[in-house]
């Protein structure tokens, strides 16, 4: 059984993330969406909120599970029995960052491989940060965020923005 892990912050999950999940779910027997807790990042949505948002988006994927971790990515992958990390690449800047991460992971554990999946052109500009900024100012995020969670995401971001 081939298992893979798609790590990230997913704050919130976007249509670009979902495209990678859709494509990767067809390549592996099991795919874990791993919400990585990074103390250097200030997230809008808590871990439990992100888990619930992702669950709403992956209900049609029986071989995809969502989990969270606050340690090293390669260690967590090994704990789950995953030998492959899936990473999405949108542009050159992503590639440089992801290459450094993949190389570091190889040093930490040479048995865990990183597989880069190039974003489809329609998602190459898309990021959680862009979607959040649009939502804060009551913009239409339906092209950015999966339909199953768009209203919920927009409501939270707009409400949080007004409260500040």
């Amino acid at each position: 059984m081939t298992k893979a892990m798609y790590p990230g912050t997913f704050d919130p999950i976007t249509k670009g993330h979902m495209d990678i999940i859709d494509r990767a779910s067809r390549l592996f027997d099991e795919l874990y969406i791993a919400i990585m807790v990074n103390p250097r990042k200030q997230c809008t949505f808590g871990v439990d909120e992100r888990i619930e948002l992702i669950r709403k988006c992956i209900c049609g994927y029986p071989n995809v599970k969502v989990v969270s971790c606050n340690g090293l990515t390669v260690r967590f992958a090994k704990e789950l029995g995953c030998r492959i990390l899936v990473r999405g690449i949108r542009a050159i800047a992503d590639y440089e960052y992801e290459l450094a991460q993949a190389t570091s992971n190889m040093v930490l554990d040479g048995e865990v491989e990183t597989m880069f999946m190039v974003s489809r052109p329609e998602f190459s500009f898309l990021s959680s940060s862009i979607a959040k900024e649009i939502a804060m100012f009551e913009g239409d995020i339906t092209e950015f965020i999966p339909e199953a969670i768009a209203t919920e995401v927009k409501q939270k971001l707009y409400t949080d923005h007004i409260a500040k």
Side-chain angles (χ1 to χ4, degrees), residues 2-95:
T2 309
K3 295 180 182 182
M5 187 173 92
Y6 179 24
T9 51
F10 305 102
D11 185 44
I13 192 166
T14 67
K15 286 185 175 183
H17 293 131
M18 286 305 301
D19 178 59
I20 299 293
I21 291 167
D22 179 63
R23 291 161 49 205
S25 73
R26 289 182 264 137
L27 299 173
F28 303 103
D29 297 315
E30 285 186 18
L31 177 65
Y32 289 90
I33 309 309
I35 297 172
M36 304 305 292
V37 179
N38 183 341
R40 293 179 304 161
K41 284 190 175 183
Q42 196 162 10
C43 292
T44 302
F45 295 88
V47 172
D48 291 338
E49 287 176 300
R50 286 180 274 161
I51 288 171
E52 281 309 307
L53 291 172
I54 292 170
R55 281 191 178 139
K56 290 176 183 179
C57 296
I58 64 169
C59 59
Y61 297 91
N63 65 327
V64 179
K65 298 176 176 94
V66 61
V67 293
S68 66
C69 172
N70 61 2
L72 289 173
T73 303
V74 290
R75 261 194 215 142
F76 191 52
K78 284 290 267 273
E79 286 175 26
L80 294 174
C82 300
R83 293 192 48 213
I84 300 167
L85 298 175
V86 174
R87 300 299 297 152
I89 302 286
R90 295 171 296 184
I92 296 291
D94 280 352
Y95 178 73

Side-chain angles (χ1 to χ4, degrees), residues 95-164:
Y95 178 73
E96 290 175 354
Y97 172 80
E98 294 297 344
L99 180 62
Q101 290 293 111
T103 305
S104 297
N105 287 336
M106 286 174 103
V107 170
L108 292 170
D109 190 328
E111 292 182 16
V112 177
E113 294 290 341
T114 300
M115 182 182 93
F116 296 142
M117 295 186 79
V118 177
S119 292
R120 294 190 188 281
E122 61 265 33
F123 303 123
S124 63
F125 68 94
L126 184 53
S127 71
S128 295
S129 298
I130 289 171
K132 288 192 290 190
E133 190 167 338
I134 292 168
M136 278 192 287
F137 295 102
E138 289 191 286
D140 181 7
I141 58 170
T142 55
E143 293 299 317
F144 307 93
I145 301 294
E147 185 179 335
I149 63 168
T151 301
E152 187 175 348
V153 168
K154 186 173 180 176
Q155 182 62 39
K156 177 178 175 67
L157 288 162
Y158 179 69
T159 303
D160 285 358
H161 175 69
I162 294 301
K164 290 180 183 178

